[in-house]
Amino acid sequence: MTAVLKDFEQPVPESVPGKPRYVPQSQRRILCVFPKYSPSFGTFNNAYPLLGRVKAFMPPQGILLVAAYLPQEWEVRFIDENIRSAQPGDYRWADVVIVSGMHIQRSQINHINAMAHRYGKITAIGGPSVSACPEYYPDFDLLHLGELGDATDRMIEYMDLQTDRPPQQIRFETTERLPLSEFPVPAYHLIDLNKYFIGNVQYSSGCPYRCEFCDIPELYGRNPRLKEPEQITAELDAMLASGNLRAVYFVDDNFVGDRRAAMKLLPHLIDWQKRNGYPIQFACEATLNLAQNKELLAMMREAYFCTVFCGIETPEADALKSISKQQNLMGGMSILDAIKTLNSYGMEVVSGIIIGLDTDTPDTGDRILEFIRLSNIPMLTINLLHALPRTPLWRRLEAEGRLNFDEKRESNVEFLMPYEDVVELWRRCITTAYEPEFLYQRFAYNMEHTFRNRIKRPLTPERLSKKNIRKGLWIMANLILRIGILSNYRKTFWAMAAPKLKTGKIENLIHIGLVAHHLITFAQECGRGEQAASFYAQNVKAAQRFRVGSLAR
């Protein structure tokens, strides 16, 4: 059942460092638009009402990077439609409209294109979705395929020299990538970070592993490319200047894909935290074998990494082998022991769980729920398997005739178990995992066995600022009103919250209250059939929600 993996294509080479940038001849006005997400598990949208100004999960770093790379002589505007929709006046102002996004945003991306064309504007699209599947976007004028590099320069030159839409679509494909060490600081000055749940930063690109369901190695390569540590601290400085953040997520495909590089970065993060009074928590994505490197873990603890997302996917060894995820089985350390090790360094583990693998049986749900109980992981992205283009999984299922593109389905995979049984298995797992009492039990474990292992941050003026105090009081008032009084699980909430109020553990209470509220209410929506079972595909249900919302424009 193990997929046969093809030899990966040779990675796109990097350009020579210091290559001069294109110098424009004309003035241009560029509108960068990031499309709205349909509400899902990963957007955390159910927590936003508790946070006041927050409207979106994290800034779209890719298109902010492009905005920063555009010629400084040009006027650039940025709109994140998760915060506000682009209006007719925005389109009229622009000469060119640039869009980026992922497959799940496909409907919204094409809608933005249609709106821009309504006003006669040149449209361009780049990013992961179009790079993997250019055929998804037949009506865009310009396609940017691949990473930032020579294609970007050629596209900028085209936009500089042309004022009318081209008679047919033009593709710019990267043949030389810009070294990450030459990436500019994303254009944080164009956004208000106070409107985002968390901030984000990228240190590396690529992952050495070949998980069957993942498209990262084929899009970005297997040898991680790196920024310089000084770039990361400069980006953190820029984020602090743009808003009052509580956490920053490293969106690297695998934070420890190059362990020596991570060891090089961490002293800079530690120093930055100390110089700035430990203003934020860090989070990252990493393979579970991170638990085997105690020196690395100790440095991450000192840098105040509090959360690590690990793609555990399944607790079953045979299933891990079938999806080429053997790295979860390396080193003789069990998955549960690895989780406890990460907890011992103060890091709360977030896990990916996939339902619908070929090895699943009717008993898989019971085994997953038992794993959740034993691991005490509070948050797990319990997700129905979906085949992404440019993955070994897609190619295997295509060869087996097991891809199904019926828009009414929750997944494009023909499972070996009956389809309805798999969907019901997912629904039972996610609703049971996020029953309030069960979820709070796992948070209680982490309070005792994880949170207490974190370093004690100094009570600096930055942390005790009036702005932070007002923000904390606002969130507490909302927790008490919206959950403690109005929610359908208020009794369970008070059983958790009352002891923490008495002992003064307000930060822990706020963290648990915010995260748990989204998980609990999202799971309840899943139980009512209001949410999609695959968070990577936009099925008819999600698309209909978008279309209804777009009618108001």
Side-chain angles (χ1 to χ4, degrees), residues 207-253:
C207 180
Y209 298 105
R210 292 179 170 182
C211 303
E212 185 191 38
F213 53 85
C214 183
D215 59 359
I216 293 301
E218 296 194 38
L219 287 175
Y220 305 115
R222 297 189 61 222
N223 294 316
R225 300 156 59 224
L226 305 164
K227 292 180 180 176
E228 294 297 329
E230 292 79 9
Q231 291 176 270
I232 301 302
T233 55
E235 291 187 29
L236 294 173
D237 288 336
M239 280 188 272
L240 274 190
S242 178
N244 184 26
L245 286 175
R246 54 186 292 271
V248 169
Y249 194 95
F250 276 82
V251 295
D252 299 43
D253 310 313

Side-chain angles (χ1 to χ4, degrees), residues 382-385 410 423 426-427 531-535 539 541:
I382 304 171
N383 187 40
L384 206 64
L385 180 67
E410 299 276 5
V423 174
W426 165 81
R427 185 173 291 111
Q531 292 289 354
S534 177
F535 311 140
N539 65 3
K541 193 183 305 179

Side-chain angles (χ1 to χ4, degrees), residues 317-329:
D318 288 345
L320 288 170
K321 293 175 183 176
S322 76
I323 58 175
S324 302
K325 192 84 179 187
Q326 289 95 329
Q327 61 266 29
N328 281 359
L329 305 171

Side-chain angles (χ1 to χ4, degrees), residues 255-256 266 282-284 286 290-291 293-310 338-350 375-378 445-446 449-455:
F255 183 72
V256 294
L266 285 165
F282 288 125
C284 69
L290 164 66
N293 192 321
K294 303 299 176 63
E295 183 181 3
L296 186 58
L297 290 173
M299 295 175 71
M300 291 177 69
R301 177 180 181 272
E302 191 175 356
Y304 211 57
F305 276 81
C306 296
T307 306
V308 56
F309 179 95
C310 295
I339 293 165
K340 288 180 180 179
T341 298
L342 295 172
N343 292 161
S344 72
Y345 285 86
M347 282 176 260
E348 180 184 315
V349 175
V350 176
S375 68
N376 281 294
I377 296 176
Y445 173 91
N446 278 269
H449 298 280
T450 302
F451 300 172
R452 67 185 299 174
N453 295 323
R454 294 170 181 168
I455 62 171

